[in-house]
Amino acid sequence: MNPPKTDARRHHDPDVRGFASDNYAGAHPEVLAALALANGGHQVAYGEDDYTENLQRIVRSHFGATAEAFPVFNGTGANVVALQAVTDRWGAVICAESAHIHVDEGGAPERMGGLKLLTVPTPDGKLTPELIDRQAYGWDDEHRAMPQVVSITQSTELGTLYTPDEIRAICDHAHAHGMKVHLDGSRIANAAASLNVPMRTFTNAVGVDILSLGGTKNGALFGEAVVVLNQDAVSHMKHLRKLSMQLASKMRFVSVQLEALLAKDLWLRNARHANEMAQRLAEGVRAVHGVEILYPVQANGVFAKLPHDVSERLQKRFRFYFWDETAGVVRWMCAFDTTEDDVDAFVAALKEEMAR
């Protein structure tokens, strides 16, 4: 059978890559193949399809027998739904000052979720029990939003990683105060690949209550999932997902992508490759005089400081973002499809611009 004809045409050069975000990458071919496999015929809408049912089995194989996945459209939606599920109307969320929910979600947790974020400055993007205590107080004070959740990110927004023991300490501390723990796992695959442990090792096994499971940055076309790890910690997830406009009618097309990533080892292969490219990039950058790498390169991101004019010239050759433009800090991200040639070309361009 010949493929269907289309009037669509390509509007970009598929050989062009940058280091701005792992969201810039396309979908992995195996994910696209899974989407085609799920297409055709009719399946029950709103999550009652065979693909979403099978996804539950796969998620439980990664996160334990009581885990339950609720596919959603995107990461912001996953975080807002997850945080709503573990807070009351008067509840607040303790998070790092650099957390995505605070910096990069357009106020969605506050405006859409009705949540108060209690932020804590951190040196490396990671919370500790001691840092949490800066905001963990005032539960009986009606004049203060009640701290009910600690939200951490793995890997963090600065590319650093929590060890399983560090997350266990956070969970034990939060639970001792009657708080729950949410993990933003938009890059959870990169964390597991770098730590060389299963994802359960630093989630349900150490006390995390609810998880935002990333797919898009790991090779999906779109789609994430809220994974409830502690059933006693949440209620009315189905209603919250719908209320938050995150219920996909044709959910099979979200679920099958997560199935393609998680059923075997595609998620791990993609993450390992992205991490390896970040290490290659960091190694090349360290050899360039005048460029400083600011944080340990533990996942698929490199944070560096270099002259502002060099960054501006380099941005004309490769896409990437300033992390803190005033301080001259930039962020370079690698993806599942970043190649060694991409990295080497970027390092060569950096050397040329630094030499000017």
Side-chain angles (χ1 to χ4, degrees):
M1 181 178 179
N2 293 326
K5 293 182 179 180
T6 177
D7 291 330
R9 62 187 181 89
R10 176 169 278 160
H11 295 280
H12 77 290
D13 182 350
D15 293 325
V16 172
R17 292 183 178 87
F19 294 86
S21 173
D22 34 12
N23 284 326
Y24 277 39
H28 193 281
E30 291 181 39
V31 172
L32 291 177
L35 281 165
L37 186 70
N39 198 25
H42 287 199
Q43 279 276 285
V44 182
Y46 300 110
E48 299 299 320
D49 59 274
D50 294 336
Y51 296 92
T52 302
E53 180 182 353
N54 190 56
L55 177 63
Q56 301 303 328
R57 178 187 63 80
I58 294 168
V59 164
R60 286 192 291 271
S61 73
H62 286 283
F63 298 105
T66 62
E68 186 176 7
F70 295 84
V72 295
F73 289 113
N74 53 50
T76 298
N79 285 336
V80 171
V81 171
L83 291 173
Q84 284 181 290
V86 286
T87 51
D88 295 311
R89 287 286 294 162
W90 49 88
V93 178
I94 299 173
C95 64
E97 195 172 64
S98 57
H100 198 275
I101 58 174
H102 174 57
V103 177
D104 291 304
E105 292 186 344
E110 295 95 338
R111 294 179 65 86
M112 303 302 294
L115 300 165
K116 172 67 175 177
L117 300 181
L118 303 173
T119 64
V120 182
T122 68
D124 55 2
K126 294 163 58 176
L127 289 176
T128 64
E130 293 74 23
L131 289 173
I132 289 167
D133 280 345
R134 294 186 183 182
Q135 292 285 11
Y137 64 90
W139 287 279
D140 293 327
D141 183 355
E142 66 267 36
H143 302 288
R144 187 173 195 266
M146 182 186 292
Q148 292 187 319
V149 182
V150 174
S151 179
I152 60 175
T153 311
Q154 178 79 319
S155 58
T156 74
E157 288 75 15
L158 300 181
T160 53
L161 297 179
Y162 290 94
T163 66
D165 285 343
E166 287 173 332
I167 296 180
R168 182 188 297 277
I170 287 171
C171 291
D172 289 348
H173 191 71
H175 292 157
H177 285 295
M179 297 186 292
K180 302 178 180 71
V181 178
H182 163 256
L183 190 144
D184 181 348
S186 63
R187 295 186 177 96
I188 189 173
N190 301 93
S194 183
L195 293 169
N196 196 30
V197 297
M199 290 183 285
R200 70 174 69 89
T201 304
F202 55 84
T203 54
N204 56 299
V206 294
V208 172
D209 296 293
I210 195 164
L211 162 71
S212 298
L213 177 65
T216 308
K217 292 177 173 64
N218 191 227
L221 182 64
F222 67 93
E224 325 282 302
V226 176
V227 180
V228 176
L229 302 174
N230 176 7
Q231 296 292 336
D232 294 332
V234 305
S235 62
H236 303 293
M237 268 296 304
K238 292 174 68 173
H239 295 87
L240 279 172
R241 179 173 58 177
K242 177 66 174 181
L243 183 67
S244 301
M245 298 171 286
Q246 287 292 318
L247 178 64
S249 57
K250 297 183 180 181
M251 197 180 295
R252 58 171 150 161
F253 296 112
V254 181
S255 298
V256 75
Q257 294 180 73
L258 297 173
E259 177 185 8
L261 289 169
L262 296 171
K264 294 184 180 178
D265 67 346
L266 180 58
W267 68 278
L268 191 56
R269 284 187 280 129
N270 286 351
R272 280 177 175 164
H273 178 80
N275 291 356
E276 288 167 1
M277 292 303 98
Q279 289 294 335
R280 185 182 185 92
L281 176 59
E283 183 179 347
V285 167
R286 287 192 183 99
V288 182
H289 179 71
V291 180
E292 178 187 2
I293 295 178
L294 298 179
Y295 306 107
V297 179
Q298 297 178 325
N300 62 321
V302 179
F303 291 77
K305 184 176 182 180
L306 61 157
H308 192 279
D309 60 326
V310 173
S311 293
E312 288 188 323
R313 292 198 302 270
L314 192 58
Q315 283 177 323
K316 295 177 181 178
R317 303 171 66 172
F318 292 88
R319 288 293 300 268
F320 63 88
Y321 292 116
F322 280 100
W323 184 256
D324 182 343
E325 188 166 3
T326 302
V329 178
V330 298
R331 184 191 75 166
W332 299 319
M333 298 299 300
C334 296
F336 76 88
D337 63 348
T338 303
T339 68
E340 292 183 356
D341 288 343
D342 296 333
V343 172
D344 295 346
F346 181 80
V347 172
L350 173 62
K351 291 178 179 178
E352 290 173 7
E353 297 299 343
M354 287 293 293
R356 286 178 58 178

